[in-house]
Amino acid sequence: MSSARNPGRVVGFWYLLLVLLGPLRLVYIPNKLFVQGNAAATASNIAAHEWLFRFGMLSDVLCAVVLIFLVLAFYRLFKGVDQQLAVLLVVVGGVMPAVLTLVTVGIDGATLVVARGGGAGGGGGADFLSVFDKPQRDALVLLFLRFNHYQIVAAEILWGFWLFPMGALVYKSGFLPRFIGGWLIINGVAYVVLCVTGILFPDYQDKVFLYSQPALFGELAIMLWLVIKGATPPALQQSTAARPA
């Protein structure tokens, strides 16, 4: 079925691409390279697996681009339901997180330069790092990674808030299951709770994340529904039916 007749499927495929790109930098690289509380081992791992780290940076850049196209596809799907909510979804769910993601790439670039100790390929020959000894550079690497961690924690508020208009639009649409709309709103609340916990009670963040897993599957539910079944607004259905064969 063409994208003109089923814009929901276009949204689903953009969403699927985002889901496939995201885990490299957010999950795989931290588990592979970062050693909790050990600055020297973490810096050595990053320097030894430079290209893996760079691919993680590239995946973040691609995620930012895909996110913009995803929210624009959502806007096309939902603008007839409630245009104000659809615009809010684009701003909170696309533009702002994409900018934060690109800032994260910049911080990762600085992390890589420090981990390598500058030199060729380190961003213009960072000889100024020679004033730092190895333990100090390792500490800087851990500081940059901690900075990125808290930036991701802060971004969770946006990951949650964009699901509120999305859930409301799904619920009001009439062409998508209402239970998914409610699930998305619960998913948004879970992200907000994770953000607050990560800032105020960081020691409990992993436990809260574990308990919130059922709620966090709301996005997976809407993605799978759109990929498999798609969605077509009633106005588009009527205009398509009115066209001559």
Side-chain angles (χ1 to χ4, degrees), residues 28-42:
Y28 181 75
I29 288 177
N31 290 337
K32 180 78 173 177
L33 303 183
F34 304 167
V35 181
Q36 183 70 27
N38 192 328
T42 300

Side-chain angles (χ1 to χ4, degrees), residues 44-110:
S44 296
N45 286 342
I46 292 173
H49 299 87
E50 176 181 345
W51 281 104
L52 175 60
F53 198 76
R54 289 186 184 276
F55 276 121
M57 293 165 62
L58 179 60
S59 74
D60 267 358
V61 172
L62 295 176
C63 279
V65 174
V66 169
L67 189 56
I68 295 297
F69 282 102
L70 170 62
V71 294
L72 290 176
F74 263 125
Y75 178 80
R76 181 190 176 205
L77 181 66
F78 287 131
K79 64 181 179 180
V81 178
D82 189 317
Q83 190 169 19
Q84 288 186 332
L85 284 177
V87 169
L88 182 62
L89 186 151
V90 170
V91 174
V92 178
V95 176
M96 295 173 68
V99 170
L100 285 177
T101 299
L102 295 177
V103 171
T104 298
V105 175
I107 299 169
D108 275 348

